């Protein structure tokens, strides 16, 4: 159960993005809910899909888990085919565990026509406050109307279902 958290924004001036009102917000704590909503946003996209993250797996299944019909690459390939602007910015991992082959992911995404780049994950803000490095700078933006920010990786092992039973992806 999520609750309002007024006053929890960083007290560092100037704020990069001041608090604003009038937005619909949904907090995710269950991976399957997050993945399903991201997949549906991708399927409904009409202009663009932009992704930034440090652990992105091109073959992660977003819906219909175990069927292999809604992998990230499949949904992005459909978007590219519809002439949508698909961009993925992969942050280089600041450490080697777990192993992340972000160069291979970028190559695979480029092979379907997506624009994919690799970049350093650290920001100027991270230099001041270490806890704000790329691990928490995950973003998915669809059509400038829907955004998923600050949360889960589009990667394997994040699909909890509310029972929180640890099990490997097939």
């Amino acid at each position: 159960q999520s609750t309002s958290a007024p006053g929890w924004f960083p007290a560092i001036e100037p704020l990069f993005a001041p608090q604003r009102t009038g937005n619909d917000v949904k907090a995710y704590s269950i991976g399957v809910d997050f993945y399903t909503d991201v997949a549906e946003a991708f399927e409904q996209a009409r202009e663009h899909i932009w992704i930034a993250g440090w652990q992105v797996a091109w073959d992660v299944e977003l819906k219909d888990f175990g069927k292999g019909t809604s992998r990230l690459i499949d949904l992005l390939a459909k978007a590219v085919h519809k002439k949508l602007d698909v961009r993925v910015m992969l942050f280089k991992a600041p450490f080697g565990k777990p192993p992340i082959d972000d160069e291979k992911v970028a190559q695979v995404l480029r092979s379907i026509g997506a624009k994919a780049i690799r970049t350093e994950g650290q920001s100027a803000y991270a230099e001041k406050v270490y806890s704000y490095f790329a691990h928490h700078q995950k973003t998915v933006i669809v059509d400038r109307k829907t955004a998923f920010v600050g949360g889960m990786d589009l990667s394997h092992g994040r699909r909890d279902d509310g029972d929180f039973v640890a099990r490997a992806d097939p």
Side-chain angles (χ1 to χ4, degrees):
Q1 183 75 358
S2 298
T3 59
S4 176
W8 281 75
F9 285 85
I12 298 172
E13 296 297 332
L15 285 178
F16 173 71
Q19 185 174 3
R20 294 178 175 93
T21 60
N23 296 298
D24 293 327
V25 176
K26 179 177 182 181
Y28 292 93
S29 61
I30 307 297
V32 70
D33 295 342
F34 171 73
Y35 279 5
T36 299
D37 287 356
V38 167
E40 289 175 3
F42 287 175
E43 291 168 342
Q44 295 170 13
R46 298 291 174 252
E47 296 176 29
H48 68 75
I49 297 172
W50 297 336
I51 300 169
W54 79 279
Q55 197 168 20
V56 177
W58 61 266
D59 60 342
V60 67
E61 291 183 83
L62 299 180
K63 281 187 358 182
D64 305 321
F65 192 58
K67 295 181 181 174
T69 58
S70 66
R71 298 175 307 165
L72 177 63
I73 193 167
D74 300 323
L75 298 174
L76 295 182
K78 287 177 185 174
V80 167
H81 182 73
K82 294 190 300 187
K83 307 283 191 237
L84 275 61
D85 179 16
V86 177
R87 301 178 188 202
V88 182
M89 183 171 62
L90 302 163
F91 297 127
K92 294 178 187 175
F95 40 82
K97 302 287 182 198
I100 301 164
D101 191 351
D102 47 75
E103 179 56 38
K104 179 68 174 176
V105 172
Q107 289 172 357
V108 169
L109 294 174
R110 285 185 208 115
S111 77
I112 63 162
K115 297 174 184 99
I117 63 168
R118 296 168 61 232
T119 185
E120 296 298 327
Q122 307 298 339
S123 67
Y125 191 64
E127 298 298 322
K128 296 177 186 171
V129 183
Y130 179 72
S131 64
Y132 287 93
F133 72 103
H135 184 66
H136 298 285
Q137 296 169 357
K138 301 168 197 122
T139 305
V140 175
I141 302 170
V142 179
D143 294 345
R144 294 185 192 100
K145 296 178 182 172
T146 303
F148 301 87
V149 295
M152 299 180 198
D153 298 304
L154 293 172
S155 191
H156 301 286
R158 307 308 196 270
R159 176 174 292 284
D160 48 19
D161 58 7
D163 292 334
F164 302 105
V165 176
R167 51 185 161 262
D169 292 350

